[in-house]
């Protein structure tokens, strides 16, 4: 597909047939081309293993499905191969607490 | 059912230990230094430090210290009191002595201060180490084993490798007759239905759902849930995503009871430990860190704990060994010395889930038979105990209770 003599091991893993996200099984560099279920995707930023990519285009407000269940909702349209994380989805339960929020909290405390 | 070892430590209540630890316990932060100094020369000889820092009495803390000082892995206990704190030191001493264990109390204000108390404590520990060598040794089988599990420093790999592998191990251990305990109802938020459907009775299923709803309410009041910044760096985005990964540690066995800290499983099988306090929110976060949850699993009788980590936690525990199952192959390569099991091999196609599950069972049986874990070798003996409040569980929580 990318013309390599030996094809590198798949970079992403699908956890359930119903999922609209896949999981990175190795760290990938910015600009790296990877195969997301038949579609070639160029990554804008470096991402560590365990991060989620959209397995297909996802509309804003759509449920994000991992392990075959909803783990939250998209907060914007996400293209196939887009990073599915704090900037593009949110919990349907509790807000996620991040380093930045932690710093804001400490500063205002 | 299989024999784990022929030389387990028999306690007067019939329970059997896989370690024979001397526990030195401070009963207020003001006696922490003296207790630590007593332990220091013996830290490599199975003498552990535990304690409660608060000056105000708390029935949860008392109940926890009774459960911990009479845990089957504990052979003897030395209590260290300043003298003016609110803890019921005489009540605790009576409970420990009632269990047949050697137990002593040093009250710093009566013993003549810091130096005299340290000398008194060390002399007692020295003599007691020799005394507890004569504890009766007996055969112990897998249906007498209690195993806890917890995840800490989770990332996007935890729910794919280490947690489901621990689930595989839990299924096998339950089949061998062991009691297995998973915990943190706050990490089941979003999985209420899946969990409650696994209960052995409908009443228990409703209790399980209620315990998870209680956690959601509690965490909502506190402003955020069981989700640390490192979880997001590791690719986890939401509480319910973390929950799905966390709950896979429990395997597929039916859930046969709901415990609160200090409650013991009545028989073999799978149990959920409810760590979130009852009543209105008070005293702050339910558990301030992973070691506090490990201590609650131990208070329920856990002989050892299976700890799943992706980001790379290093902790162990006082009283009961911790087996570290590393979910992330990159973390394992970086922190190999802290890990017992390399579950990240699953991601790289170097092992199957079933193979790693079998390795975890083998490590559990070896540790129960006396083998040291990585955190034991490195001297980890974390202990955290804070303020909480609980109502006793109702009869619906123990459908198989004897």
């Amino acid at each position: 597909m990318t013309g390599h003599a030996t094809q590198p091991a798949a970079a992403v893993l699908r956890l359930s047939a119903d999922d609209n996200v896949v999981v990175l099984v190795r760290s990938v560099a910015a600009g790296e081309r990877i195969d997301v279920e038949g579609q070639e995707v160029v990554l804008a930023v470096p991402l560590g293993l365990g991060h989620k990519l959209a397995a297909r285009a996802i509309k804003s407000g759509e449920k994000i499905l991992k392990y075959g269940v909803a783990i939250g909702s998209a907060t914007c349209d996400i293209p196939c191969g887009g990073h599915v994380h704090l900037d593009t989805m949110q919990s349907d339960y509790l807000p996620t607490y991040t380093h930045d929020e932690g710093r804001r909290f400490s500063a205002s405390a | 059912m299989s024999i784990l070892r022929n030389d387990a430590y028999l306690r007067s209540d019939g329970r059997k230990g896989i370690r024979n630890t001397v526990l030195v316990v401070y009963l207020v932060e003001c006696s922490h230094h003296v207790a630590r100094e007593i332990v220091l020369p013996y830290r490599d000889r199975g003498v552990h430090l535990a304690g409660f820092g608060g000056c105000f009495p708390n029935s949860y803390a008392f109940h926890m210290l009774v459960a911990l000082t009479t845990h089957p892995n504990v052979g003897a206990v030395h209590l260290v009191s300043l003298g003016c704190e609110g803890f019921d030191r005489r009540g605790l001493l009576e409970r420990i002595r009632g269990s047949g264990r050697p137990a002593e109390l040093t009250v710093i204000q009566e013993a003549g201060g810091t130096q005299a108390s340290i000398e008194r404590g060390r002399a007692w520990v020295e003599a007691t180490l020799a005394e507890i060598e004569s504890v009766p040794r007996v055969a112990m089988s897998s249906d007498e084993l209690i195993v806890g599990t917890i995840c800490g420093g989770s990332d996007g790999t935890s729910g794919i490798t280490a947690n489901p592998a621990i689930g595989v191990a839990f299924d096998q251990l339950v089949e061998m007759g062991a009691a297995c305990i998973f915990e943190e109802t706050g990490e089941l938020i979003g999985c209420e239905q899946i969990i409650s459907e696994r209960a052995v009775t409908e009443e228990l299923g409703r209790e399980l759902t209620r315990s998870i709803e209680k956690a959601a309410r509690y965490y909502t009041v506190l402003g955020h849930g069981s989700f640390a910044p490192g979880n997001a760096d590791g690719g986890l985005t939401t509480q319910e995503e973390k929950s799905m990964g966390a709950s896979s540690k429990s395997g597929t066995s039916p859930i046969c009871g709901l415990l609160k800290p200090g409650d013991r499983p009545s028989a073999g099988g799978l149990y959920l430990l409810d760590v979130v306090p009852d009543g209105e929110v008070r005293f702050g976060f339910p558990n301030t860190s992973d070691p506090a949850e490990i201590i609650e699993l131990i208070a329920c009788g856990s002989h050892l704990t299976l700890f799943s980590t992706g980001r790379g936690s290093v902790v162990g525990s006082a009283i009961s060994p911790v087996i570290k199952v590393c979910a992330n192959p990159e973390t394992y390569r970086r922190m190999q010395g802290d890990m017992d099991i390399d579950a990240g091999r699953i991601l790289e196609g170097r092992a199957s889930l079933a193979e790693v599950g079998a390795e975890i069972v083998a490590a559990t049986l070896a540790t129960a038979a006396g083998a040291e874990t990585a955190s034991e070798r490195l001297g980890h003996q974390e202990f955290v105990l804070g303020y909480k409040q609980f109502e006793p569980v109702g009869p619906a929580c123990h459908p198989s209770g004897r």
Side-chain angles (χ1 to χ4, degrees):
Chain A
M1 297 188 296
T2 50
H4 288 298
T6 54
Q7 193 164 321
V12 297
L13 176 69
R14 166 175 287 276
L15 297 177
S16 170
D18 298 333
D19 290 358
N20 54 12
V21 294
V22 289
V23 179
L24 282 170
V25 296
R26 59 176 171 85
S27 297
V28 288
E32 194 174 331
R33 290 165 190 280
I34 61 165
D35 177 78
V36 176
E37 305 201 317
Q39 283 219 47
E40 191 184 76
V41 168
V42 182
L43 290 163
V45 292
L47 290 176
L49 82 170
H51 282 251
K52 298 177 291 299
L53 301 181
R56 58 167 174 78
I58 299 171
K59 289 242 175 298
S60 181
E62 226 182 294
K63 295 287 182 199
I64 302 295
L65 298 173
K66 181 184 174 189
Y67 303 105
V69 300
I71 59 162
S73 302
T75 52
C76 60
D77 291 344
I78 311 169
C80 177
H83 188 202
V84 179
H85 203 22
L86 304 170
D87 293 335
T88 52
M89 72 166 291
Q90 67 181 14
S91 170
D92 295 330
Y93 285 76
L94 297 164
T96 298
Y97 184 73
T98 66
H99 275 139
D100 284 347
E101 282 172 34
R103 277 192 285 272
R104 276 204 295 279
F105 181 79
S106 308
S108 64
Chain B
M1 192 179 95
S2 66
I3 298 293
L4 300 173
R5 62 192 290 171
N6 290 308
D7 58 351
Y9 303 92
L10 179 66
R11 310 304 177 190
S12 67
D13 60 2
R15 289 193 290 161
K16 295 163 190 175
I18 62 168
R19 298 289 185 271
N20 199 24
T21 303
V22 174
L23 207 55
V24 178
V25 184
Y26 58 91
L27 299 179
V28 62
E29 185 55 31
C30 316
S31 62
H32 190 160
H33 170 75
V34 167
R36 187 171 50 224
E37 287 294 315
I38 292 170
V39 168
L40 218 49
Y42 305 102
R43 49 170 285 185
D44 297 325
R45 293 173 60 189
V47 180
H48 294 186
L49 179 66
F52 178 64
C55 188
F56 303 99
N58 177 252
S59 61
Y60 157 81
F62 183 82
H63 182 55
M64 283 285 290
L65 278 182
V66 169
L68 292 165
T69 53
T70 59
H71 186 283
N73 286 353
V74 173
V77 183
H78 194 106
L79 303 177
V80 185
S81 157
L82 176 61
C84 43
E85 75 274 8
F87 200 96
D88 177 11
R89 56 180 178 265
R90 295 279 166 201
L92 179 58
L93 184 67
E94 275 169 33
R95 297 289 290 272
I96 305 166
R97 285 186 172 155
S99 77
R101 285 170 177 77
E104 186 53 280
L105 166 69
T106 291
V107 180
I108 296 171
Q109 289 165 352
E110 293 168 8
T114 300
Q115 196 55 42
S117 299
I118 293 169
E119 283 163 17
R120 186 176 192 276
R122 285 181 183 171
W124 188 87
V125 167
E126 187 72 50
T128 305
L129 277 171
E131 186 184 341
I132 62 172
E133 278 179 26
S134 60
V135 167
R137 308 291 286 268
V138 293
M140 177 176 177
S141 58
S142 54
D143 62 347
E144 297 173 291
L145 187 68
I146 305 179
V147 181
T149 190
I150 175 177
C151 44
S154 297
D155 68 13
T157 65
S158 301
I160 307 171
T161 60
N163 292 352
I166 287 175
V168 169
F170 255 34
D171 285 350
Q172 290 176 22
L173 290 164
V174 165
E175 240 169 70
M176 293 164 74
C180 292
I181 310 172
F182 70 114
E183 54 86 64
E184 187 39 320
T185 43
E187 286 171 2
L188 298 174
I189 292 169
C191 307
E192 295 85 348
Q193 195 181 346
I194 298 168
I195 291 296
S196 64
E197 282 170 357
R198 289 173 56 193
V200 291
T201 65
E202 275 180 35
E203 291 78 11
L204 175 62
R206 279 193 289 276
E207 293 291 336
L208 296 176
T209 302
R210 262 183 225 128
S211 73
I212 300 168
E213 288 169 352
K214 179 181 72 171
R217 275 198 309 278
Y218 210 95
Y219 282 122
T220 301
V221 171
L222 290 169
H224 60 90
S226 170
F227 199 97
N231 297 147
D233 294 344
L236 293 175
T237 314
T238 64
Q239 180 65 60
E240 53 268 44
E241 178 183 16
K242 184 177 173 184
S243 293
M244 274 309 296
S247 66
S248 66
K249 294 196 302 302
S250 65
T252 58
S253 303
I255 300 169
C256 63
L258 178 67
L259 308 172
K260 290 185 181 178
D263 296 344
R264 296 209 300 262
S266 50
L270 180 67
Y271 295 80
L272 173 63
L273 169 60
D274 177 8
V275 302
V276 176
D278 295 315
E280 61 185 277
V281 176
R282 62 177 77 173
F283 306 134
F285 289 101
N287 278 329
T288 51
S289 55
D290 294 327
E293 290 180 8
I294 296 174
I295 289 300
E296 290 186 327
L297 287 165
I298 296 170
C300 294
S302 295
H303 291 93
L304 59 92
T305 304
L306 304 176
F307 189 124
S308 155
T309 185
R311 302 291 286 171
S313 175
V314 300
V315 305
S317 184
I319 303 172
S320 292
V322 172
I323 295 174
K324 299 267 258 312
V325 184
C326 186
N328 185 321
E330 294 174 356
T331 303
Y332 184 83
R333 286 190 275 273
R334 213 166 40 240
M335 301 177 66
Q336 201 164 343
D338 283 287
M339 304 301 165
D340 296 285
I341 306 273
D342 178 12
R345 280 148 58 225
I346 295 167
L347 274 188
E348 298 181 339
R350 294 185 286 121
S352 69
L353 201 56
E355 283 166 347
V356 175
E359 267 177 50
I360 296 170
V361 172
T364 299
L365 302 182
T367 302
E372 266 193 327
T373 65
S375 52
E376 280 183 301
R377 274 196 300 280
L378 292 164
H380 281 283
Q381 291 165 14
E382 283 79 359
F383 186 96
V384 176
L385 178 59
Y387 283 94
K388 277 194 186 183
Q389 158 176 294
F390 281 100
E391 311 287 341
V393 295
C397 297
H398 289 293
S400 60
R402 294 172 182 160

